[in-house]
Amino acid sequence: MLYWKKGNESLKTDEKISLSQFLIQKFHTTSRLAFYSSTGWYNRLYINFTLRRHIFFFLLQTYFPSTLMVMLSWVSFWIDRRAVPARVSLGITTVLTMSTIITGVNASMPRVSYIKAVDIYLWVSFVFVFLSVLEYAAVNYLTTVQERKERKLREKVGKLILFLYMSSVNKLAKHFFFTF
């Protein structure tokens, strides 16, 4: 039978070793029997580590940059709607940066079958950034439609004024010819 000779004291950790995202809080050792149908019973030695995530790492690498990208995308609301290059470049830059952040976080996290809280946060942030780009597209479209309507109205008013002017000139001309 296998066992840990000194229990938890059998494992010593080097204080110089550290993980960038985690702090080893505690660990404990156990031993159990495991059954394999083809070969029988075997002894197993286990070590369970309890890790605590360094939240500052995630704040600095994930949450802070994505929050800044969302706030940066809001700047486009204050840019004049006719400043197309400024608004488009700002929108594309923030969308691409958010997708880079999402890709980087997914590459550094273990693959799991469930949705993590950081995934929800990042995708909601991405939706906010993308909606700011869609807002510009909607404003641009609605402005174009409104300007077309105003131009058509101006043309109609111009034609009406021209018609009224010509009819009044025509009446004056008739009056002028018949009086002499």
Side-chain angles (χ1 to χ4, degrees):
M1 172 114 175
L2 296 175
Y3 63 93
W4 294 98
K5 190 173 185 178
K6 297 179 185 176
N8 282 350
E9 299 297 317
S10 299
L11 182 66
K12 298 288 182 193
T13 59
D14 188 356
E15 297 298 325
K16 296 176 186 175
I17 296 175
S18 65
L19 302 170
S20 64
Q21 296 182 27
F22 299 100
L23 173 69
I24 300 174
Q25 271 192 306
K26 63 180 181 177
F27 60 89
H28 67 277
T29 58
T30 56
S31 59
R32 294 185 188 140
L33 287 174
F35 179 74
Y36 293 99
S37 60
S38 60
T39 56
W41 290 92
Y42 289 94
N43 250 345
R44 282 195 179 169
L45 299 176
Y46 292 95
I47 301 174
N48 292 324
F49 292 97
T50 304
L51 303 175
R52 193 179 89 217
R53 185 179 304 275
H54 290 292
I55 191 66
F56 185 71
F57 177 81
F58 265 105
L59 287 175
L60 193 62
Q61 296 292 323
T62 305
Y63 293 104
F64 186 66
S66 61
T67 303
L68 284 179
M69 284 299 109
V70 171
M71 292 185 333
L72 183 62
S73 73
W74 294 344
V75 171
S76 71
F77 300 145
W78 293 293
I79 297 175
D80 185 29
R81 68 176 186 267
R82 291 177 295 271
V84 175
R87 291 190 74 163
V88 169
S89 63
L90 181 63
I92 295 297
T93 301
T94 53
V95 166
L96 290 176
T97 303
M98 279 304 300
S99 60
T100 303
I101 291 171
I102 290 170
T103 303
V105 168
N106 285 336
S108 69
M109 299 287 267
R111 292 184 182 258
V112 292
S113 61
Y114 53 87
I115 297 175
K116 300 177 289 295
V118 71
D119 293 333
I120 294 170
Y121 179 82
L122 289 175
W123 280 105
V124 167
S125 298
F126 182 81
V127 166
F128 281 134
V129 169
F130 190 73
L131 286 176
S132 73
V133 175
L134 287 182
E135 179 269 343
Y136 172 65
V139 165
N140 193 22
Y141 173 74
L142 294 174
T143 302
T144 304
V145 168
Q146 182 66 28
E147 287 173 353
R148 257 190 236 139
K149 286 180 182 178
E150 289 173 0
R151 188 176 52 227
K152 285 181 182 179
L153 183 63
R154 276 194 306 269
E155 288 173 1
K156 286 181 181 179
V157 168
K159 287 179 183 178
L160 181 63
I161 290 173
L162 182 63
F163 174 74
L164 292 173
Y165 175 74
M166 292 305 286
S167 66
S168 65
V169 166
N170 201 6
K171 285 181 184 178
L172 281 174
K174 285 182 184 177
H175 178 69
F176 185 69
F177 277 123
F178 289 121
T179 56
F180 289 109

